[in-house]
Amino acid sequence: MAGFTVAIVGRPNVGKSTLFNRLLERRKAIVDNLSGVTRDRQYGVADWNGKAFNVIDTGGFVADSDDVFEIEIAKQVRIAMNEADLLLFMVDVATGITALDEEFAEVLRKSKKPVLLVVNKVDNGERLLDATEFYGLGFDVIYSVSSMSGSGTGELLDAVTEQIPAQAVRVIEKEYTGDNTSDEGNDDDDADLDEPENKLPKIAIIGQPNAGKSSLLNALVGEDRNIVSDIPGTTRDSIHTHYKLYNREFVLIDTAGLRKKNKEMENLEFYSVIRAIKAMDEADICLLVIDAVKGITAQDVNIFSLATRKGKGIAILVNKWDLVEKETNTARDYEQELKRRIAPFTDVPVLFISATEKQRVFKVVETLMEVYENRTRRIATSVLNEMMKKVFDYQQPPMVRGRSAKIKYVTQLPTVTPSFAFFTNFPEDIKEPYRNYLEKQLRDQFNYKGVPVRIYFRKK
């Protein structure tokens, strides 16, 4: 399914990063009163009422500035605006309408993207009245919020999710804590439900600029389908390639197309992240290509984490391995360090390849199909319970407050991402260590390599 992307935009120091953190329910962006503190772009996934969407936090936009940082931030804001489906235009009730707000409002009107005007720092009745001043910016509706306390964000999120078209909705799994499930665990309202069985697997090739994504695609399909250059950022628009060779058939998604000229690396990396997010929304499996010479970067780790949170299958391809000087344990040590960086989810295949030399390229096809099979594996309830009973008998959940939780049975949920509901007398007593133990046993017994596994505890 295609994803939906929301960008938070506005002049400096109006609280964009605070709202970003509020929407993602975590403290991820750096928040400071210093104007221009958000220079590195932040991106994540927000969930609201069973709908998920991508969120991009941008730096403060200042038009026609001579400041080198403000110039670069303005470029990245425009990239985010171009790629987003919806813009949240943030202003500050404490300062009222400023000249920068008026300039940016004009920029937004020219963009022709849907815009929601968000008046921040509205934390009392007097400021709620003051917020009406912002109708002067020419928008029909304003949303008064306090990013710090969360006041008003529910109404804003309702408005955001109303904008998401049906085909872009990725419904999230719900915590199975209700009482309306039968003993078999077959909920009618399960989220992330199976898609038609006859669809071809979709494989997204993601990673940093110049890591070799297009070279990999060309090596797989046996022709120069994409522009390949040493200039980072050669790739631009998403291209779908139908692969049908050696009894394997799937669709490859590569962010490839026109060459981008005279773009600074920071902007290119930000652009690649947005493209990777969109490709990942559509994909079943993500191939994360990293440059063996440069090693895995913080941005690669962020993209890996996003793919994991979205429930995608994933394999890591260490490209340009032919350029690395090798000793006896080079590959082993490299993989250990790589998995240390991506922890805690480390049960992923890692391949050392050279796309240009076609080293282990067809091993990539075998691996991605194995991951796809792992992601689509369905285990009969009887087989699952027979195997997991041994796991329960070997190690019971620790006692909490003098009482012992007993797991009665387990069933796999009808979701795209492998998910399991464990029925127990005290679901709230089962903590993270035992959850991790159960996940490890599921992986060991049924092979979910390269696939996130989700576990829910439900009262029985």
Side-chain angles (χ1 to χ4, degrees), residues 423-454:
F423 291 79
T424 174
N425 51 345
F426 299 118
E428 67 277 7
D429 287 353
I430 300 180
K431 307 303 180 185
E432 195 67 24
Y434 196 73
R435 179 192 293 267
N436 294 340
Y437 165 72
L438 293 178
E439 180 179 334
K440 184 178 187 305
Q441 296 304 314
L442 284 169
R443 291 185 177 282
D444 290 347
Q445 300 297 334
F446 300 109
N447 185 15
Y448 283 106
K449 191 175 187 67
V451 183
V453 170
R454 293 172 179 168

Side-chain angles (χ1 to χ4, degrees), residues 220-245:
L220 287 171
V221 301
E223 57 184 275
D224 289 339
R225 179 65 187 268
N226 299 306
I227 300 169
V228 177
S229 169
D230 289 332
I231 301 173
T234 300
T235 60
R236 177 174 176 141
D237 296 316
S238 178
I239 285 182
H240 292 58
T241 302
H242 186 185
Y243 180 99
K244 190 175 182 181
L245 294 169

Side-chain angles (χ1 to χ4, degrees), residues 212-276:
K213 300 185 295 296
S214 295
S215 296
L216 173 63
L217 181 67
N218 293 340
L220 287 171
V221 301
E223 57 184 275
D224 289 339
R225 179 65 187 268
N226 299 306
I227 300 169
V228 177
S229 169
D230 289 332
I231 301 173
T234 300
T235 60
R236 177 174 176 141
D237 296 316
S238 178
I239 285 182
H240 292 58
T241 302
H242 186 185
Y243 180 99
K244 190 175 182 181
L245 294 169
Y246 311 109
N247 296 319
R248 302 289 194 183
E249 187 174 10
F250 48 83
V251 175
L252 284 162
I253 307 170
D254 182 35
T255 50
L258 303 175
R259 174 170 299 185
K260 294 174 66 65
K261 298 180 180 179
N262 301 321
K263 287 288 186 180
E264 293 78 358
M265 176 60 73
E266 186 180 2
N267 290 338
L268 287 167
E269 290 179 354
F270 178 48
Y271 191 93
S272 73
V273 167
I274 300 175
R275 284 296 186 181

Side-chain angles (χ1 to χ4, degrees), residues 30 53 83 122 311 351 359:
I30 299 171
F53 54 94
E83 294 300 312
V122 181
L351 296 180
Q359 293 178 1

Side-chain angles (χ1 to χ4, degrees), residues 158-445:
D158 286 341
V160 169
T161 52
E162 284 174 5
Q163 297 273 341
I164 303 177
Q167 65 269 27
V169 174
R170 180 180 65 84
V171 188
I172 62 168
E173 287 92 351
K174 298 175 182 177
E175 296 291 344
Y176 284 75
T177 56
D179 294 326
N180 61 342
T181 303
S182 67
D183 288 347
E184 288 75 26
N186 295 323
D187 285 41
D188 293 330
D189 60 350
D190 287 334
D192 216 12
L193 295 177
D194 286 324
E195 297 174 3
E197 294 181 1
N198 60 354
K199 76 177 185 67
L200 290 178
K202 289 185 177 179
I203 316 299
I205 304 175
I206 58 178
Q208 292 272 42
N210 208 33
K213 300 185 295 296
S214 295
S215 296
L216 173 63
L217 181 67
N218 293 340
L220 287 171
V221 301
E223 57 184 275
D224 289 339
R225 179 65 187 268
N226 299 306
I227 300 169
V228 177
S229 169
D230 289 332
I231 301 173
T234 300
T235 60
R236 177 174 176 141
D237 296 316
S238 178
I239 285 182
H240 292 58
T241 302
H242 186 185
Y243 180 99
K244 190 175 182 181
L245 294 169
Y246 311 109
N247 296 319
R248 302 289 194 183
E249 187 174 10
F250 48 83
V251 175
L252 284 162
I253 307 170
D254 182 35
T255 50
L258 303 175
R259 174 170 299 185
K260 294 174 66 65
K261 298 180 180 179
N262 301 321
K263 287 288 186 180
E264 293 78 358
M265 176 60 73
E266 186 180 2
N267 290 338
L268 287 167
E269 290 179 354
F270 178 48
Y271 191 93
S272 73
V273 167
I274 300 175
R275 284 296 186 181
I277 291 170
K278 290 194 169 187
M280 176 187 313
D281 280 328
E282 189 178 354
D284 302 298
I285 308 298
C286 295
L287 300 179
L288 175 58
V289 182
I290 69 172
D291 187 325
V293 178
K294 295 179 180 177
I296 189 166
T297 68
Q299 192 174 57
D300 290 323
V301 174
N302 285 338
I303 294 175
F304 176 88
S305 298
L306 271 177
T308 300
R309 187 170 181 218
K310 289 173 181 287
K312 307 299 181 179
I314 191 163
I316 298 177
L317 310 181
V318 184
N319 191 29
K320 307 181 186 179
W321 191 241
D322 55 314
L323 303 181
V324 174
E325 293 186 11
K326 302 172 188 65
E327 298 178 359
T328 305
N329 296 317
T330 302
R332 183 202 66 184
D333 295 344
Y334 199 108
E335 182 171 346
Q336 286 179 351
E337 173 60 18
L338 188 153
K339 289 191 173 182
R340 184 190 69 80
R341 293 287 305 278
I342 64 173
F345 178 38
T346 59
D347 187 23
V348 295
V350 177
L351 296 180
F352 297 89
I353 70 168
S354 170
T356 56
E357 300 298 321
K358 297 189 178 180
Q359 293 178 1
R360 288 178 284 279
V361 165
F362 292 104
K363 179 66 176 174
V364 173
V365 175
E366 295 175 13
T367 300
L368 70 87
M369 292 307 297
E370 287 171 6
V371 173
Y372 182 76
E373 289 168 8
N374 294 345
R375 188 171 184 256
T376 54
R377 179 170 295 112
R378 296 293 179 261
I379 305 169
T381 300
S382 58
V383 174
L384 184 59
N385 279 276
E386 182 181 355
M387 184 62 67
M388 294 307 290
K389 184 179 184 302
K390 300 175 184 177
V391 172
F392 306 149
D393 291 343
Y394 181 77
Q395 184 173 330
Q396 291 286 340
M399 293 186 67
V400 176
R401 296 185 295 276
R403 62 188 191 183
S404 177
K406 301 290 186 183
I407 297 178
K408 307 299 178 64
Y409 71 93
V410 57
T411 186
Q412 185 172 5
L413 303 173
T415 57
V416 174
T417 303
S419 305
F420 299 86
F422 289 79
F423 291 79
T424 174
N425 51 345
F426 299 118
E428 67 277 7
D429 287 353
I430 300 180
K431 307 303 180 185
E432 195 67 24
Y434 196 73
R435 179 192 293 267
N436 294 340
Y437 165 72
L438 293 178
E439 180 179 334
K440 184 178 187 305
Q441 296 304 314
L442 284 169
R443 291 185 177 282
D444 290 347
Q445 300 297 334

